Structures are given as C-alpha cells and as structure tokens.
Amino acid sequence: MKTVFILGAGFSVEAGAPTQAAIIPEAFKQFRENKANFDKDRFAEFTSFINDQLNIPECRYSSIALEDIFTPLDRCLSESSQYRGISLDNIMKIRESVFYVVGRTIQLLLDKNHSKDYIDSFAKYLTEKSSMRAYNNYQEKDPVSVISANWDILLDNSIYKTILNTPHNAVVDYCCYISSLDKDDVTVKPGLEVLGGGGFNVKLLKLHGSLNWLQCPRCARLYTKFYEKEAINNFTTLTSCRHCDNNFEEEEGNHSLMANLIMPTFIKDLSNPQYKIIWQNAGIEISEAEEIVFIGYSLPSADFEMRQLLSRMTRKKAKIHVVGYSSNEEEKAGIVAHWESFFGAREVTFSFDGAKSYISSLTNES
C-alpha cells in the first residue's frame, strides 16, 4: 500500500516553528527582544508599509493575515500598477523586506533549542520505507512520499542526516531539477540517477519552496544546501550560479542566485518551471496513493490550488486520515464536517492529539 503524507504548518509547531497566523506578531516580539537580530532598514520598511499603507495600528498587528500583505503587492506587480502611489520598483523592494522579516522570524524561532525528536523518528520511518526501492526495485515498490506546504527544513535535515547513515546510496529527492550549492558536495543528486545506480530516494515535494533553496534567474536551476537557510542568508551573502558564470563568461550579466519561496497570497504564481514539475509530480503521487495522511494541514478555502489538485487526483477509494490537535468537542465536530464535506464518500478518520503523538504511534507500529 502506498501512503502519501501531506504536511502543513501544524506538523512543525511542536518543534518550535510558528503557525502562519503567528508569524507577524512573533516578528515584532523578536524585534523588541533583540533588534540586532534583524536588518533595521528592512524591518523599518516592513513596519512603515503596515502602518502607513495598510493603515493598521500596532494594537492590531496580531490580526494581520500574511495574504492581506502579499496579495495587493503581488497583484500590482502582475498588472504593472502602482500601489497607493508606490512605484513598481518600490513595491518589489517592500515585498522583499516583508519576505525578509517573515523568513528571518522563522529562522530565529527554529534556531532556538526545541526538541525535534518526533521529526527525526518520522525521517527514520520514511527512510526505512523508501529503502525497499534499492537494488533496482523502484519499478515495483514505491511505498511512501511526502508533500509539504512548509518552507522550514526540519524534516529535510532529519532525512538527510538519516540517509547519510544508511549502507545504500540515497538522496533526499525534491522531485525537480536540483543541484548542490557547494560544487564538491556529492550528496545532492537527482533521484532518478540514484535509483538507476541501485540506490533509493526519499521523496519530499515542497509545493511552496524551501528555506534551503536558491534559484538562478537565467537558467532556472535550483540549488540546495542542507542545514543552511540560504533563502535568508542570501540577503547578506550573495551566491552566483557557477554554471551560468562558466557558460556565459564572455557576457555582461548578473547570475546572482535568488530565493524563490511562494508567499502566502491569493494569487500564487506557479509559472516557475521548477514548481510546475513539483506540482505535476505531487499530482502523480496523490493519484497513486491508497492512503493520504494530512498532518497539521487544515485544507483552507484560500488554498484552492491544493484543493483542486486533491479533487482531481485523489482516488475514489483512497483512505483519508487527518492529524490535528484539538481538545474541544465542538471544534472537533467542525473539523470532521469540513473534511468529510470535501472528500465525500471516502473513508475519513481523525487523530486529534497532534503530530508528535501520531508519529509516535506510527513508528511504534512499523
């Protein structure tokens, strides 16, 4: 039986990651506690946009939805229109500052000493299941994959650490065209290359990008480096695409790598060729799943791209399991109704004790 795990922000909360709703208030809290943790100019630009353009006073910062920040900016950029008198160049600059504050806040929270033992256990479970694909068994065996809506790299790093200790040649497979940021790092390879050589891949499809990814604006190659949040580090230390630097050394041009995270917005741009590949492969994974397990994902109405993908590609006989956290009976009833209305006649079951408890049961059973 093939199981596909779909992860939302709730998957990482017990390891210290913020929910999407908590990012903005956490940003101001982290800034108040230690201003040196942020680029002051970028934070000032971020604050000015919220105060002066969105007209939101400090007492209401905790109620700001990220979609309400990024959507108007992205719409203006897509239409080449101004936002309340702000030029296109400045709109992009403001957007970068907001992205910086969001990413830096996540980075600061994840760098704190939180226990992620349950994520390590999940990584070992995934690696063990995926290892049966070794020795060219991949055409017959494909038991598990993960689709993640998260940017954080907690699971990425745990899988990477686990596969380095396996006797096989194995890789974290992002299911797109990926290169190592460090030229001499041979642990980053395409999954198909490793499978063809008798090894195995652990599939981790990140629908909205990853904090350890950078992309070349010219050739669109994705680069990664495990344990490093390069999407944030890139604000202070630019890295250039070594392939374009070599291939076009006679031309003037800037090949500086860029972060390519998809921000929370109602008009997500999925035209990036790498994301098209990831989303296509995610659809294939869902179509092959006999069981889909959602961990810490609420299936919000605003996430219509994911909803249409699930609607199109989920088998009618697929079993659905939803893992969340709630101790309120009325809230539980609302959650059950929400999921059952979407998946119709399919069998839908629930666990309400959170990701950590579910993974403990999962790994104990395996």
Side-chain angles (χ1 to χ4, degrees):
M1 184 174 78
K2 178 167 183 171
T3 301
V4 173
F5 295 92
I6 298 181
L7 310 183
F11 171 78
S12 304
V13 165
E14 291 169 279
T19 63
Q20 185 170 304
I23 290 176
I24 298 298
E26 276 291 346
F28 285 101
K29 178 184 176 183
Q30 294 295 320
F31 186 73
R32 285 194 302 268
E33 290 177 353
N34 190 350
K35 293 179 174 59
N37 283 331
F38 290 88
D39 180 309
K40 292 183 179 60
D41 291 337
R42 290 188 181 276
F43 200 94
E45 191 164 46
F46 160 75
T47 305
S48 175
F49 178 72
I50 291 175
N51 287 335
D52 302 336
Q53 303 303 325
L54 297 183
N55 199 32
I56 297 174
E58 186 173 353
C59 62
R60 295 185 182 175
Y61 285 170
S62 60
S63 64
I64 303 173
L66 285 177
E67 289 91 347
D68 289 336
I69 298 177
F70 283 105
T71 300
L73 295 174
D74 288 351
R75 185 58 178 264
C76 288
L77 289 171
S78 67
E79 294 181 346
S80 299
S81 59
Q82 292 186 349
Y83 182 79
R84 304 181 71 87
I86 301 174
S87 68
L88 285 176
D89 288 345
N90 282 330
I91 289 174
M92 180 60 74
K93 190 168 178 283
I94 290 169
R95 191 185 188 281
E96 288 177 356
S97 292
V98 177
F99 165 63
Y100 165 80
V101 171
V102 169
R104 181 62 176 149
T105 301
I106 295 172
Q107 182 182 38
L108 290 169
L109 292 172
L110 292 179
D111 284 347
K112 293 184 176 181
N113 188 24
H114 296 282
S115 173
K116 58 187 286 285
D117 291 347
Y118 73 98
I119 295 180
D120 292 336
S121 296
F122 188 47
K124 290 177 183 177
Y125 170 86
L126 295 170
T127 302
E128 181 181 342
K129 291 290 185 182
S130 300
S131 67
M132 65 178 63
R133 306 193 80 199
Y135 305 115
N136 295 314
N137 289 326
Y138 62 91
Q139 293 181 332
E140 300 176 4
K141 298 177 180 179
D142 188 12
V144 67
S145 66
V146 176
I147 298 171
S148 177
N150 300 336
W151 301 323
D152 73 68
I153 56 175
L154 294 172
L155 182 58
D156 313 46
N157 290 340
S158 291
I159 297 173
Y160 182 71
K161 181 179 178 181
T162 302
I163 63 176
L164 291 179
N165 294 319
T166 65
H168 308 287
N169 182 21
V171 291
V172 178
D173 188 357
Y174 288 123
C175 296
C176 59
Y177 296 112
I178 200 83
S179 300
S180 171
L181 188 62
D182 292 338
K183 181 180 179 180
D184 298 325
D185 181 2
V186 297
T187 63
V188 177
K189 297 177 182 176
L192 290 177
E193 177 184 334
V194 174
L195 288 169
F200 69 92
N201 59 335
V202 183
K203 289 185 278 189
L204 176 58
L205 295 84
K206 306 193 76 171
L207 299 179
H208 299 150
S210 186
L211 285 173
N212 63 342
W213 291 0
L214 292 173
Q215 187 170 33
C216 175
R218 182 163 192 167
C219 68
R221 281 183 174 88
L222 273 183
Y223 290 86
T224 190
K225 184 176 182 179
F226 290 96
Y227 304 122
E228 296 293 337
K229 301 175 184 70
E230 292 295 338
I232 306 304
N233 298 339
N234 194 57
F235 278 97
T236 55
T237 307
L238 290 176
T239 306
S240 190
C241 174
R242 61 176 179 272
H243 296 285
C244 285
D245 286 346
N246 179 67
N247 295 337
F248 306 105
E249 59 181 348
E250 75 284 358
E251 297 181 16
E252 294 286 339
N254 181 7
H255 304 137
S256 294
L257 302 182
M258 304 167 60
N260 72 335
L261 302 181
I262 294 179
M263 294 291 107
T265 171
F266 292 112
I267 49 172
K268 293 183 178 71
D269 182 3
L270 300 177
S271 62
N272 186 299
Q274 298 287 8
Y275 283 112
K276 284 184 176 181
I277 295 169
I278 295 169
W279 279 78
Q280 178 195 16
N281 281 318
I284 292 171
E285 295 298 315
I286 291 169
S287 73
E288 294 174 348
E290 295 164 81
E291 181 183 30
I292 303 176
V293 180
F294 296 88
I295 307 180
Y297 181 72
S298 62
L299 193 66
S301 297
D303 199 357
F304 57 86
E305 295 94 347
M306 186 62 175
R307 291 170 72 95
Q308 68 85 21
L309 190 67
L310 290 167
S311 180
R312 284 195 302 117
M313 305 305 288
T314 304
R315 295 182 183 185
K316 287 187 176 180
K317 294 184 178 180
K319 295 180 179 180
I320 309 298
H321 189 73
V322 179
V323 180
Y325 183 82
S326 178
S327 58
N328 181 286
E329 293 304 318
E330 185 176 350
E331 183 180 46
K332 288 180 183 179
I335 293 171
V336 170
H338 173 66
W339 286 90
E340 288 184 343
S341 67
F342 182 82
F343 281 109
R346 297 178 182 87
E347 177 186 340
V348 186
T349 55
F350 298 85
S351 298
F352 288 109
D353 293 327
K356 189 173 183 178
S357 175
Y358 171 78
I359 289 170
S360 176
S361 301
L362 180 73
T363 54
N364 287 334
E365 291 173 2
S366 63

